[in-house]
Structures are given as C-alpha cells and as structure tokens.
Amino acid sequence: MRCNNQVIGAMTALVTPFKNGKVDLEKYESLIIRQINQGIDAIVPVGTTGESATLSHDEHKECIEVALSVCKKYNNNGKAIKVLAGAGSNSTSEAIEIARFAQSCGADAILCVTPYYNKPTQEGLYQHYKEVANALEIPLMLYNVPSRTGVNLETKTILRLFNDVENIYGIKEASGSVEKVIELNMEAKDLVIVSGDDVLNYPILCCGGVGTISVTSNLLPNKVSQLIHSYESGNHIESQKLSNELFYINKTLFVESNPIMIKAALYICGLLDLLEYRLPLVPPSKENLKYLEKILEKYEVIK
C-alpha cells in the first residue's frame, strides 16, 4: 500500500551540478524537471550523492529551496512530487538547523545520515536521532551507510528509535545486508524500508522494502521508476527483468567513490555541461572513464 503521508517509492538521490566552483542552480532545476517527467515519485536534494559534505550551509539550503520550488510547479500526471530533504551532519545541532530550515520551506520529510567521522556509540546515535526528530513536526527517515560514515546503525537501535520517536517513520538501508532488511521487516511491519543500494533494489523490495533512494535514477529515472512501480502493481517478473537490465550500470557507478561515476555518466550523456566536483573528489581515472563509456552503450538515456 502506498502511504500518502510518507515519502516512499522511486526516489532520486540528486547530484549537485557545479559551474566554475559554484552550484549551478539553473542546471539543478533542469535535472529535477527531467526526473519528474520520467516518473520519479520524490526528489532527495543534498544527500551524500549531492556532495553535501562539501557544500556550505547557504548552498545546502539554497538547493533545498530550489528543489521545493520546482516540485511545487511541476507534477507527474497530476501527482505531486515530494521532497525528502537531506539534512545530515556529524553535529547534531547542525543537522537540526538544516532540518528545521527544510521544514520551514515545505519539505515533506527529512533524510538524516548517521553522523560521520566521530563514530558515536549506539546510544549516541539514538540520542542524536531523537534530538533531530523531536525538533521537527515532519517525518524523518534514518539513513544507514556504514561504508561511508564509519558507523553502523544496528538493528536494535533502529527498532528502538522507531518505537520511541513518533515521527521517525523509516530507514534508507545501505549496509548491503538483505538479512538486516528481513529482520527489520519481521520486527516492525510498519517501518518503512527503502533501498540505498541500487544493485539490491529488487531483492529489498522482495523482503518488504517500499522503494529506493537511487543513484542510478539520476541517469535512468524512467527505468528505476518502472522497476519500483512494476513491483508495486504486482508485476514482479517485469520488476526483476528491469533489475537485471540495470545490473551492469548499477555496479559500474560505484567502481569509484560516489558520486564520481554518476556525474561522469551524466556528463558523457550530455546531461551535465561540465564534469566538475568539489575537492577532495576528482574525475574518474582514464581506465574507469573508458569502461563507463563502454557500459553506457548498453543503455538508452532519454534527455
């Protein structure tokens, strides 16, 4: 069942385009419009794929404002496009500040990544998320990606947060553990679980997931949205077929640290005017760029 008051379904972890060192807001808007036109349910601005760790607070807030403005103007066949705003930080007070700003602008929900670098204990993670969620009136989605943050949000802590904090409604699970998804679904049927790993989108759906926050959908929003919506409508064969079709690009986009490869793919396909990152991220190696070009030959990218 689709939940009207929760942000679920086919969602895109949007890249942040740069031009001469600054955020290219005009290009950012066009990328969002393309996502909407190709069937995406929700936009996720300034998550980790959006290079949020190297954006200033003003840039972070500006990207949220633009995403909300565009999504209010456009819709997908009469259906409103939701915004799940990225508001994670390794400082609880900073996460609260950005999350409250997103709420004040009209965000539908907040995506909050586990604090990185300082490696809090499970009790620290619990207190962090409780503080952020209690500072808000809108829903909050946990985001577990231990390979990037250096800390794993354990199943017991996730369940504790879900049971104790009313507006924590779900988790973006990117630990790579399908077993964890199964256990979470068994222990908390009402917990919204979405895939944070494109290769596992279909398996996570099969284990009780209700969507994805996808990197690949920056490039192929039509295919990723079809994968999710086919499964939702009961056409699991079609969904699995699309999953298999996307397997090679899903793998290739992570041969270097995200979002290095997805930005390169967008540039190769003419969806970004410049291949520009914020240091310490740099363009992919010549070998990986060549391999990406070869893989992209398998796919039709609709502009």
Side-chain angles (χ1 to χ4, degrees):
M1 291 287 292
R2 300 302 297 272
C3 303
N4 293 328
N5 62 336
Q6 295 176 345
V7 185
I8 59 176
M11 300 176 273
T12 298
L14 201 67
V15 302
T16 302
F18 298 118
K19 186 175 183 180
N20 300 323
K22 297 181 180 180
V23 177
D24 186 346
L25 294 175
E26 183 177 349
K27 176 59 66 174
Y28 196 62
E29 182 171 339
S30 71
L31 292 175
I32 295 171
I33 294 169
R34 176 176 176 266
Q35 292 291 315
I36 294 169
N37 289 340
Q38 295 195 34
I40 286 296
D41 298 311
I43 298 298
V44 186
V46 283
T48 50
T49 301
E51 295 176 77
S52 56
T54 54
L55 296 181
S56 71
H57 281 196
D58 286 344
E59 288 172 329
H60 195 125
K61 291 174 179 178
E62 198 167 30
C63 287
I64 291 172
E65 286 180 312
V66 169
L68 283 161
S69 174
V70 175
C71 288
K72 285 176 183 177
K73 288 180 187 176
Y74 297 86
N75 62 67
N76 180 10
N77 296 320
K79 182 180 69 174
I81 305 302
K82 294 189 175 183
V83 174
L84 177 62
S89 173
N90 58 353
S91 164
T92 303
S93 61
E94 288 183 4
I96 289 172
E97 179 194 346
I98 295 171
R100 279 179 167 167
F101 174 83
Q103 176 179 268
S104 71
C105 293
D108 297 283
I110 297 298
L111 178 68
C112 192
V113 70
T114 50
Y116 39 86
Y117 180 74
N118 41 23
K119 295 187 74 173
T121 63
Q122 292 302 302
E123 181 62 25
L125 290 169
Y126 174 84
Q127 295 297 338
H128 169 81
Y129 277 119
K130 185 177 180 180
E131 286 287 319
V132 177
N134 283 341
L136 302 170
E137 296 177 2
I138 60 176
L140 182 142
M141 178 176 283
L142 310 170
Y143 177 13
N144 186 39
V145 56
S147 65
R148 297 296 293 262
T149 63
V151 63
N152 180 42
L153 190 59
E154 295 176 1
T155 300
K156 287 182 179 179
T157 308
I158 296 166
L159 295 173
R160 184 183 173 200
L161 284 163
F162 180 65
N163 290 326
D164 292 355
V165 187
E166 186 175 355
N167 60 327
I168 291 179
Y169 78 102
I171 183 165
K172 176 185 176 182
E173 180 50 48
S175 66
S177 173
V178 174
E179 180 180 331
K180 185 171 187 175
V181 172
I182 294 169
E183 185 176 8
L184 285 170
N185 184 248
M186 288 175 59
E187 294 295 329
K189 287 291 183 183
D190 293 331
L191 176 70
V192 166
I193 305 169
V194 300
S195 171
D197 185 343
D198 279 301
V199 170
L200 295 180
N201 285 345
Y202 180 74
I204 286 176
L205 290 174
C206 293
C207 295
V210 291
T212 179
I213 297 177
S214 171
V215 172
T216 301
S217 60
N218 279 281
L219 183 69
L220 297 162
N222 57 326
K223 294 292 184 179
V224 174
S225 61
Q226 287 168 23
L227 188 161
I228 301 300
H229 298 154
S230 294
Y231 192 91
E232 287 176 339
S233 66
N235 191 346
H236 297 179
I237 292 174
E238 177 65 15
S239 183
Q240 184 178 23
K241 178 182 175 183
L242 286 160
S243 176
N244 291 344
E245 181 182 334
L246 292 169
F247 176 79
Y248 291 107
I249 188 64
N250 287 340
K251 292 285 286 183
T252 304
L253 291 178
F254 288 88
V255 298
E256 293 195 25
S257 296
N258 185 50
I260 290 175
M261 296 301 284
I262 184 58
K263 275 192 150 181
L266 293 169
Y267 175 71
I268 290 167
C269 294
L271 294 165
L272 286 181
D273 301 326
L274 300 167
L275 184 54
E276 195 168 325
Y277 307 84
R278 281 272 170 90
L279 286 170
L281 294 185
V282 296
S285 68
K286 291 181 180 179
E287 294 78 11
N288 283 335
L289 195 60
K290 186 176 181 180
Y291 179 66
L292 175 61
E293 290 173 343
K294 182 179 179 181
I295 292 297
L296 285 172
E297 293 175 359
K298 300 176 182 286
Y299 299 94
E300 180 185 0
V301 177
I302 300 171
K303 295 185 179 181

